[in-house]
Amino acid sequence: MMRQLHFALEEKSGRFWIICLLSLIYFMRIAFLDADVPAWGVSAYQPIDEGIYATLALNMQNYGTVSPNEIIDGDPFLITSQELFNLPLNVVTYLGMLILGDNYFGFRIGSVLIGYINLVMLAWIVKVLFEKNEALAEHRYEAAFLIAILYIASFPVYIATRTVEPSIYRMTFVLMIAACYMKLDSHLKTSSFLIGFLTVVSIFLVYVTNVFTGLLIVGYLVRLIVLRRREEAISHLQYGMLGALMGYGVSIVYYRWWGITPLTNSLASILAFSGSANNAFAGNYQFSSLIGAIGNGLAFISANPVLYSIPVVALFVANTPALYMSAPKSFRDGIVSIELFVAGLFFQTLLTEDYIVRKMIIIYPLILVLGVAGLYLRAYAAGNQINGRKNKIASLMAIILIAYVLWERLAHANNMVVTVADYSQKAKVFIAAIGLMSAIPIALLSLTGKQKRIKAPTLVCLALFSVLNLGLIANYCILDRSYSERGVMQEIGEIAGDEYVAGDYSIGFTLYNDIKPVKNDRNQLLKFLGSHPAAYFLDYSNAQFFSNSLIDAWQTLKTEREFSRAYQNKMAGPDRNIALYKSTYIDY
C-alpha cells in the first residue's frame, strides 16, 4: 500500500486528487463551527478570549469603526494595548463576518482558512527540506503527505483552527519565516530581508511574545560565524536589518493612527500583563526564578500538543539521533533553523511562561517537520551512522517522556492554567491507555536498526496517534457538543435589543444580536451606566457578585436575567452563570 501511495504521489494527477481529498477532509471542521469550545482543562481555550482578541473586528461590526469612542460621548470604551496587536486576526475575522454574517461561522471561518494556509506552507517546507538531501529527495511527496495527515488529524490543531485566537496566526508567521530559511541557500538576500521583515511584524502587529523568533536569528548568525561563513553572515545580517527596519516602519504607520509607537504599546502590554499576573488573571511576563524556570520547562514538554500527540512525539524523540548524522550543508542548515525555532520558544518559556500549555501550538508544525525528517533519515539514510547505544538512550528518553507527561497532565496538574478537573474518568483512561501502549513500539525501536523492523513500530505509533486524536475530536467537537455561548447571545439580544451593554467581557457576546458593547474598568462603567439609564450591565465572571457587593453604587443594579452555562463534561461553567443587569442609578 505504501508503495502504491508513493507512485500515486509521484504522478502529477495523483498528487492533484490526493490534495483535493486532504483539502476536503480538512474543511470538514467547518461543521458545528458554532458549538462551544471544549472545556478549559481539555483545550486551554475559553470563549471570552475570542471577543477580547477580536475587539477591533467586533468594533467594526458593531459600530462601523475600530474606535467606538468616535461615536459614544465621554470616551467610555477602553481599548487596551494588548488588543491593538493581532492586526491580521482582526482583519481576517472582520472579513469573515462581512461575508458570512454576525455569527460564529462568520466570526471563526478566518481561523479555518488561516489553518489551511498553514497546512500548505507546512507541506511545502517538508518538500523543500527533503529535496536538499539526495537520500530523502524521492520521499519528499510521501513525507509531505504524512505531515499533512498528522496536522489535519491533530486534536490541538483542530481546536486552534476553529477558534479566534492569535496562536494560529503566530503559527503562520513562524511557518513563513521557516519557509524563508529553507530558501536561504539559493536566495540569501531576499530571504534575509523577508526574515527580518516578518520577524518584526510578527512582534509588533501579531503578538509581543513572538520575540523568540529574534532568538532564532541571533542563534543562526552565531552559527554562521562559528562555522566561518563570514560573508554569508554579513549578508544575512545586513539584509535582515533592512527588512526589520521596513517591518518597523510599517508598524509605525499602524500605531501612529492610535497616537503611540510600536515600542510604547509593547512595553505597556508587557507591564499590564506582568501586573495582572500577580493576581492570576493573565499570562506571566515577569522573569522566572530558577525554580520557576524549571517548572516552566516542564510545562513546555507537557503542553497540549505533546500530550495529545504523545505516540508520535515519543517516536520522534526515539529517532532524534538520526537528525545529527552527516548530511548536505543546505539540509543541515534547514534542520538547524527549525531546531532554533523550538529552542527559542523553549528558552523564552524558561524566562517567562505565557500559557505555553496552549501556545506551544505555534511551533507544533515545526516539531512535526523535525520528527518526520528524523523518521525518514533513520529509515532510508542512516546506514551504520547511528549506533545501538544512541538508539537505546533515545528510546529510553522517549519512554520517560511518555510517563512524565501522562502523570503530570492526567494525575498531578491542578492549577488555574492546567487542570485535570475537566477530564472525565473515561477520557483519562483513554488518553493514558493510548500513551502507555505507545511505549511498546518505542521499546522495540531500541532493539533494532534494520529498516524493515523500523516500519512496524512506526506504523503502530502513527495508528495510536490517529486513534487518540480522532477519538478526542469525535468526543469533544462532534458527539458531545453544547451551544451555551450562542444561546446566551441570542437571549441577550432578545432582552437588550440594540442598547448599550456594559461589562468587562460584553465585547465577547455581540454575535447573533444588535447590542452595542461598552468595555472598561468597573468604576468607569458605573459612571457610564449612570449617564445612560437605558444601558445594561453584563457580568460574566460571577452572577452573584453585585448582590453581595459592599459598594453602595452597585446596589442600584437589579438582575434582569440570569443565564445558565451548561458545557460538556460537567465543566465548572454552570457554577459561574452569566447575569444581565439593569441600572436604577442616575448620575446627575
Side-chain angles (χ1 to χ4, degrees):
M1 184 176 178
M2 293 298 295
R3 182 172 295 182
Q4 292 173 334
L5 175 63
H6 177 80
F7 288 137
L9 288 167
E10 288 299 320
E11 295 290 333
K12 190 172 183 180
S13 60
R15 288 199 300 275
F16 171 78
W17 289 112
I18 289 173
I19 290 171
C20 288
L21 177 61
L22 291 176
S23 299
L24 177 63
I25 294 172
Y26 173 85
F27 282 109
M28 288 174 65
R29 67 194 59 211
I30 293 175
F32 314 120
L33 196 59
D34 54 342
D36 295 327
V37 297
W40 168 258
V42 175
S43 67
Y45 291 87
Q46 54 184 344
I48 53 168
D49 285 346
E50 292 187 283
I52 297 299
Y53 287 126
T55 292
L56 303 184
L58 290 170
N59 285 347
M60 283 294 298
Q61 182 72 13
N62 297 316
Y63 289 99
T65 175
V66 293
S67 180
N69 291 327
E70 296 177 358
I71 297 174
I72 312 173
D73 294 333
D75 294 343
F77 198 107
L78 175 65
I79 299 177
T80 67
S81 56
Q82 182 68 27
E83 291 160 355
L84 295 185
F85 292 109
N86 315 314
L87 181 60
L89 178 152
N90 279 278
V91 171
V92 173
T93 301
Y94 177 65
L95 290 175
M97 291 189 291
L98 204 61
I99 296 169
L100 297 181
D102 189 27
N103 52 60
Y104 266 131
F105 286 95
F107 189 57
R108 291 172 171 169
I109 192 65
S111 296
V112 178
L113 296 175
I114 293 299
Y116 184 75
I117 292 172
N118 292 350
L119 169 61
V120 173
M121 285 195 291
L122 177 60
W124 182 86
I125 288 170
V126 173
K127 172 184 170 293
V128 172
L129 179 65
F130 273 48
E131 287 174 343
K132 297 176 182 294
N133 191 321
E134 186 177 347
L136 301 181
E138 66 174 300
H139 302 286
R140 63 195 185 282
Y141 294 121
E142 187 181 316
F145 173 80
L146 173 59
I147 208 164
I149 291 293
L150 294 173
Y151 179 91
I152 292 171
S154 168
F155 178 55
V157 172
Y158 190 90
I159 297 173
T161 54
R162 287 164 49 91
T163 309
V164 180
E165 200 267 348
S167 295
I168 198 69
Y169 292 83
R170 297 175 69 188
M171 182 193 293
T172 304
F173 278 82
V174 163
L175 290 173
M176 286 194 292
I177 296 170
C180 291
Y181 271 103
M182 293 302 111
K183 287 295 184 179
L184 204 59
D185 57 333
S186 57
H187 299 85
L188 176 61
K189 295 179 181 179
T190 302
S191 295
S192 298
F193 175 86
L194 289 174
I195 288 169
F197 177 83
L198 292 170
T199 297
V200 170
V201 167
S202 75
I203 293 171
F204 293 118
L205 298 183
V206 181
Y207 212 77
V208 67
T209 53
N210 278 347
V211 291
F212 79 91
T213 55
L215 300 177
L216 153 71
I217 296 174
V218 172
Y220 197 85
L221 278 170
V222 170
R223 177 175 177 269
L224 291 178
I225 294 171
V226 171
L227 294 178
R228 299 182 180 180
R229 292 158 61 176
R230 183 173 175 275
E231 292 183 4
E232 193 175 339
I234 292 174
S235 294
H236 187 43
L237 178 61
Q238 288 176 335
Y239 285 90
M241 289 295 294
L242 183 62
L245 289 173
M246 183 69 72
Y248 191 72
V250 171
S251 303
I252 288 176
V253 172
Y254 168 69
Y255 282 105
R256 179 169 291 179
W257 193 88
W258 296 99
I260 55 176
T261 68
L263 285 175
T264 302
N265 189 71
S266 299
L267 182 60
S269 179
I270 292 171
L271 291 175
F273 265 61
S274 296
S276 59
N278 294 329
N279 296 317
F281 289 122
N284 186 358
Y285 288 178
Q286 294 179 324
F287 288 131
S288 301
S289 64
L290 178 60
I291 299 298
I294 294 173
N296 293 348
L298 293 175
F300 183 94
I301 65 173
S302 61
N304 279 354
V306 177
L307 172 65
Y308 299 130
S309 304
I310 195 65
V312 293
V313 171
L315 175 67
F316 296 161
V317 171
N319 289 320
T320 299
L323 290 173
Y324 299 98
M325 56 176 281
S326 60
K329 180 173 73 71
S330 60
F331 179 82
R332 171 55 48 198
D333 287 347
I335 290 292
V336 169
S337 67
I338 295 173
E339 289 174 334
L340 287 171
F341 266 112
V342 179
L345 184 59
F346 180 74
F347 181 72
Q348 179 175 284
T349 302
L350 292 179
L351 295 178
T352 173
E353 201 274 290
D354 179 27
Y355 286 133
I356 197 65
V357 63
R358 175 178 80 231
K359 297 179 181 180
M360 188 198 179
I361 194 74
I362 63 180
I363 60 162
Y364 177 68
L366 297 184
I367 292 175
L368 295 180
V369 173
L370 290 176
V372 170
L375 177 63
Y376 275 84
L377 283 169
R378 182 170 180 178
Y380 298 105
N384 296 319
Q385 293 189 48
I386 305 174
N387 61 44
R389 185 169 178 269
K390 290 182 179 179
N391 282 338
K392 287 180 172 60
I393 293 174
S395 295
L396 177 61
M397 294 300 295
I399 292 172
I400 292 173
L401 176 67
I402 292 172
Y404 174 74
V405 171
L406 294 179
W407 171 79
E408 169 63 21
R409 293 300 308 279
L410 301 180
H412 177 254
N414 189 22
N415 55 58
M416 183 191 120
V417 179
V418 184
T419 177
V420 301
D422 290 331
Y423 289 107
S424 66
Q425 192 60 35
K426 289 181 179 179
K428 291 180 185 179
V429 171
F430 175 64
I431 298 170
I434 295 292
L436 293 174
M437 282 192 286
S438 65
I440 298 173
I442 298 300
L444 293 176
L445 278 175
S446 67
L447 303 177
T448 181
K450 294 183 179 180
Q451 181 177 330
K452 291 183 178 179
R453 295 180 181 176
I454 290 173
K455 286 185 177 180
T458 298
L459 290 174
V460 171
C461 287
L462 294 175
L464 290 171
F465 167 86
S466 300
V467 171
L468 174 58
N469 283 266
L470 295 179
L472 292 171
I473 290 171
N475 182 62
Y476 289 106
C477 303
I478 299 175
L479 301 177
D480 186 16
R481 332 184 283 283
S482 62
Y483 297 89
S484 292
E485 301 299 317
R486 186 189 70 181
V488 169
M489 293 184 208
Q490 292 170 333
E491 289 188 61
I492 290 174
E494 293 172 2
I495 298 169
D498 60 355
E499 294 291 347
Y500 291 118
V501 176
D504 313 60
Y505 298 107
S506 60
I507 188 71
F509 289 86
T510 64
L511 305 178
Y512 301 97
N513 56 51
D514 298 317
I515 67 170
K516 298 295 186 288
V518 179
K519 180 176 67 67
N520 210 315
D521 66 67
R522 290 189 169 180
N523 289 331
Q524 293 300 316
L525 292 179
L526 182 61
K527 295 178 182 178
F528 176 81
L529 291 171
S531 59
H532 294 78
Y536 293 82
F537 185 89
L538 180 68
D539 178 31
Y540 174 85
S541 59
N542 185 349
Q544 307 306 317
F545 172 80
F546 296 106
S547 61
N548 300 317
S549 174
L550 298 178
I551 302 175
D552 292 338
W554 284 117
Q555 300 301 317
T556 62
L557 291 177
K558 64 182 181 68
T559 302
E560 194 77 15
R561 176 78 65 85
E562 187 168 329
F563 307 98
S564 297
R565 300 167 65 214
Y567 286 87
Q568 313 114 309
N569 304 295
K570 299 180 180 179
M571 181 186 172
D575 296 328
R576 297 177 64 195
N577 295 338
I578 299 173
L580 189 67
Y581 295 87
K582 190 75 174 179
S583 176
T584 60
Y585 169 73
I586 304 297
D587 181 13
Y588 295 103

